[in-house]
Amino acid sequence: MKLPWKIKLLILLSIIAGIFYLDYLVQHDSGYVLIAFGNTSIEMSFWFAVVLIVTLLLLVRWTSKISKGSVNLVKKSTGFILFGSAAAAQKRAEKGLVEFIEGDFKAARKDLLKSAHNVQAPVLNYLAAARSAHELGDETQANELLLKAEEVASEDSLAIIITQARIQFSAKKYEQCVATLEKARKISPRNVLVLEYLRNVYTELEDWESLERLLPELNRNKVGSEEERLALSDKLYLALIDLAGEQASRMQTKNAIARLQEVWEDLPKEVKKRPAMVGAYVQQLRRYDGDAIAENLLRRHLQKDWQDELISLYGLLAGEDLDRQLIQAENWLKQRPADAALLLTLARLSLRNELWGKAREYYQGSIKQKPSAEACAELGRLLAAMGEHELSTQYYQQGLKSAANVQSKLPLPKPA
């Protein structure tokens, strides 16, 4: 900041006045200083003593600067002798990083540690060297090098924490890895790499509840591709439904169904529309005699959004009104007369209604459209109960062929 000329003039006049006043004091009152120690005494004027003290102070300061310069020179010389020049160290560090990327961890560790003392960013050397030590199986040195990285880092470095988490994850120390990653999240809550590692470690731990809490962050920060996020979501919610099923197995039937319904209601609306979720939930309800609830849900879902993979499941359910259930499926058949899965479902529902002839027709229609091991085996079972054993055997054999999908080329004994 520049001072106004008036202030500058005032300062100059003050300095001149001070010099004149000091000269006046020296001429009219020189003062007196006596220094005595033992039998020796030194006398001098006050102003001479002042000049002497100032001179000594300047001499001490000058000597200190020379000493520091000498020490720095010695340090630099020693560093040069032991580690080479800074340029050489930088080249060696670059070589070590290339070796690290290429997977030559033994050479990388050596070059990175040799050059760490004489590069501008030694923290990179120590982090890569720590990873190299881990890859070589030396966990003790890896931890020591991470501590060195913390010592030379200017602040609490996120890179150090992520490296530590990466090492812990690779060593399958998942609980420790979670704690490390949570520390990283406090520094950088939206860091994609941190979120990605948390996703992976929760998946390995099968900690579905923690992963569910993390999922909004993963979606918000677009961690992974859209397909990967959708696959993760499916895996998560299917696991939560299975977990609810396991919890329900330790309860009475009424409480078990209530637990399943509670979990289902907590799922996001768009998730409950996915066929895989509906199918998994219906299967769990079947385990605990929840057919009526499952049939109602599945019927409403199929009326809005038809999926072939769910129609077969509809025939396995015993709803509250079996007649109405059969009529509903026959109404669907009007729109899809050649649907093999729907015909199989109608055959099963006909059996539940003890309509044996109709069941037989629907089974045969399903097999005609698309032979399946299930349809053949179930029709064979029905025909055996109706006394048609020869035809029953034929369908059983056809079912076995459908299950194998190809006829074996292995030789068979010739008829006698």
Side-chain angles (χ1 to χ4, degrees), residues 230 233-234 237 264 270-279 301:
L230 182 60
S233 174
D234 283 345
Y237 290 116
W264 179 255
E270 67 277 6
V271 172
K272 289 191 283 189
K273 295 178 182 179
R274 299 175 190 172
M277 302 301 147
V278 176
H301 181 87

Side-chain angles (χ1 to χ4, degrees), residues 368-380:
K368 181 179 179 181
Q369 294 298 327
K370 186 179 179 180
S372 69
E374 285 181 304
C376 290
E378 291 178 24
L379 177 56

Side-chain angles (χ1 to χ4, degrees), residues 41-257:
S41 62
I42 300 174
E43 298 180 10
M44 65 185 76
S45 68
F46 171 76
W47 297 109
F48 180 80
V50 170
V51 172
L52 181 62
I53 292 171
V54 170
T55 302
L56 289 173
L57 289 174
L58 291 173
L59 184 62
V60 169
R61 185 177 178 184
W62 180 66
T63 304
S64 176
K65 283 187 175 182
I66 292 176
S67 299
K68 287 182 179 178
S70 301
V71 171
N72 290 334
L73 181 61
V74 170
K75 284 183 178 179
K76 289 181 179 179
S77 300
T78 304
F80 182 83
I81 294 170
L82 293 176
F83 309 112
S85 66
Q90 188 64 37
K91 286 183 179 180
R92 188 163 193 173
E94 292 171 1
K95 179 172 175 284
L97 289 172
V98 170
E99 290 166 340
F100 171 74
I101 294 170
E102 292 176 346
D104 189 354
F105 299 114
K106 188 173 182 179
R109 178 176 60 178
K110 179 180 178 181
D111 286 329
L112 289 166
L113 293 179
K114 284 285 186 180
S115 58
H117 301 277
N118 207 12
V119 292
Q120 291 182 345
V123 66
L124 297 178
N125 289 53
Y126 288 125
L127 289 178
R131 285 284 311 280
S132 298
H134 167 71
E135 295 295 338
L136 293 169
D138 193 341
E139 296 296 328
T140 301
Q141 188 186 37
N143 292 326
E144 290 174 353
L145 291 173
L146 285 174
L147 291 175
K148 282 192 176 183
E150 289 181 3
E151 291 173 3
V152 299
S154 57
E155 55 187 17
D156 196 7
S157 174
L158 182 64
I160 297 172
I161 300 174
I162 291 176
T163 301
Q164 186 177 19
R166 190 192 299 268
I167 290 173
Q168 290 168 339
F169 183 82
S170 179
K172 298 184 179 181
K173 298 178 180 178
Y174 298 129
E175 289 81 3
Q176 295 178 21
C177 187
V178 169
T180 303
L181 290 168
E182 288 298 339
K183 181 180 177 182
R185 283 189 78 188
K186 292 179 181 178
I187 300 173
S188 182
R190 297 181 180 179
N191 186 281
V192 173
L193 190 58
V194 173
L195 293 173
E196 184 177 342
Y197 267 108
L198 271 174
R199 176 198 66 188
N200 294 342
V201 75
Y202 284 145
T203 303
E204 291 294 334
L205 286 170
E206 296 186 355
D207 187 351
W208 308 119
E209 293 176 352
S210 295
L211 186 58
E212 185 183 20
R213 290 191 294 270
L214 183 69
L215 190 61
E217 286 294 315
L218 298 176
N219 292 330
R220 192 159 35 244
N221 293 281
K222 297 183 178 179
V223 178
S225 66
E226 187 175 351
E227 292 77 12
E228 289 173 336
R229 293 196 298 273
L230 182 60
L232 177 67
S233 174
D234 283 345
K235 184 174 184 178
L236 165 63
Y237 290 116
L238 286 173
L240 286 175
I241 292 172
D242 287 343
L243 179 61
E246 292 303 314
Q247 293 170 344
S249 66
R250 297 186 289 273
M251 303 176 182
Q252 295 180 350
T253 300
K254 183 178 180 180
N255 294 332
I257 293 176

Side-chain angles (χ1 to χ4, degrees), residues 273-275 298-315 328-346 349:
K273 295 178 182 179
R274 299 175 190 172
L298 195 53
R299 173 168 38 83
R300 288 187 288 109
H301 181 87
L302 288 168
Q303 285 173 337
K304 294 179 181 178
D305 185 14
W306 183 271
Q307 276 112 18
D308 291 338
E309 58 264 41
L310 293 179
I311 188 59
S312 297
L313 196 54
Y314 189 72
Q328 175 64 69
E330 287 177 333
N331 287 334
W332 288 332
L333 186 64
K334 294 175 184 178
Q335 301 172 357
R336 300 173 176 81
D339 191 317
L342 179 54
L343 287 165
L344 176 59
T345 287
L346 280 163
L349 293 175

